[in-house]
Amino acid sequence: RRHTDHGEYYARFARTDGQRIVYQHAAEIWLYDPESDRSSQVEVDLRSPRVQRSRRFVPADRYLSGFALHPAGHTIALETRGKLFTMPLWEEAVRQHGRPDGVRYRLARWVGDGSALVVVSDEGGEDAIEVHQPGAKPRRLDGLPVGCVTALATPPTGNLVAVANHRHELHLVDID
């Protein structure tokens, strides 16, 4: 004999204390009392700190994927969790470069004189070279047939970047 009448979802995960039956219906908890042959929804007031919705700080060093020391040695560029940061060694604050979310940055290198940071960005779904200079908007070098970039190198002088890709090609890019 059917004791409950729920139209859309099944009664699931029934448990009893020997007198009443508690079960799940959709995302709700219900109580069935066999003596009165009645079901009623159990109101649940969950007071929690909402741990899953709180900001969470993950250890950046655990997800460090790359770094590059400034040619003068006073700043370091860090790649962690797909984001790009620069950090002076003992003064000032950490600075994030590029878009805060939705783009992965990798293979960061300083140009020879340290005036700019060159990085590979996957914005738009394709790898491209981006140039990040202090106080300026990042420049994306679109239209270069770099493919999937596997390595990036900069010489100690000049504004050239050597780019290796998945096709085993080597491109020399003048970022000026």
Side-chain angles (χ1 to χ4, degrees):
R1 170 171 167 241
R2 184 175 183 168
H3 294 280
T4 62
D5 189 27
H6 299 293
E8 281 191 48
Y9 301 101
Y10 296 112
R12 305 175 66 195
F13 308 116
R15 299 288 186 264
T16 183
D17 62 356
Q19 296 174 0
R20 298 172 298 179
I21 301 170
V22 175
Y23 61 95
Q24 176 188 340
H25 171 256
E28 301 166 342
I29 297 174
W30 286 70
L31 176 69
Y32 172 72
D33 184 7
E35 274 190 33
S36 64
D37 195 32
R38 292 180 50 103
S39 280
S40 59
Q41 183 179 346
V42 176
E43 294 296 326
V44 177
D45 184 21
L46 178 63
R47 299 183 187 266
S48 74
R50 297 184 184 238
V51 174
Q52 296 297 325
R53 297 178 77 191
S54 299
R55 277 181 77 181
R56 190 176 121 197
F57 297 97
V58 296
D61 63 335
R62 190 168 163 202
Y63 300 99
L64 182 68
S65 57
F67 64 92
L69 185 63
H70 190 278
H74 57 69
T75 304
I76 190 166
L78 301 168
E79 305 156 31
T80 180
R81 302 188 75 207
K83 299 180 188 304
L84 178 65
F85 301 92
T86 54
M87 178 174 65
L89 297 182
W90 297 108
E91 57 282 328
E92 299 178 24
V94 175
R95 181 172 177 231
Q96 184 174 357
H97 297 271
R99 293 189 33 198
D101 292 308
V103 178
R104 180 177 176 232
Y105 297 101
R106 59 190 180 89
L107 302 173
R109 300 290 179 266
W110 294 97
V111 294
D113 63 358
S115 63
L117 193 60
V118 179
V119 66
V120 177
S121 162
D122 71 353
E123 185 173 4
E126 298 288 328
D127 279 359
I129 307 299
E130 280 189 12
V131 180
H132 294 258
Q133 291 177 303
K137 187 177 178 182
R139 278 189 304 130
R140 185 175 171 90
L141 305 178
D142 284 322
L144 299 175
V146 294
C148 182
V149 178
T150 57
L152 222 128
T154 56
T157 59
N159 287 332
L160 298 175
V161 179
V163 181
N165 66 19
H166 71 292
R167 297 183 297 251
H168 304 288
E169 298 172 341
L170 181 62
H171 297 272
L172 192 58
V173 179
D174 184 348
I175 63 170
D176 290 331

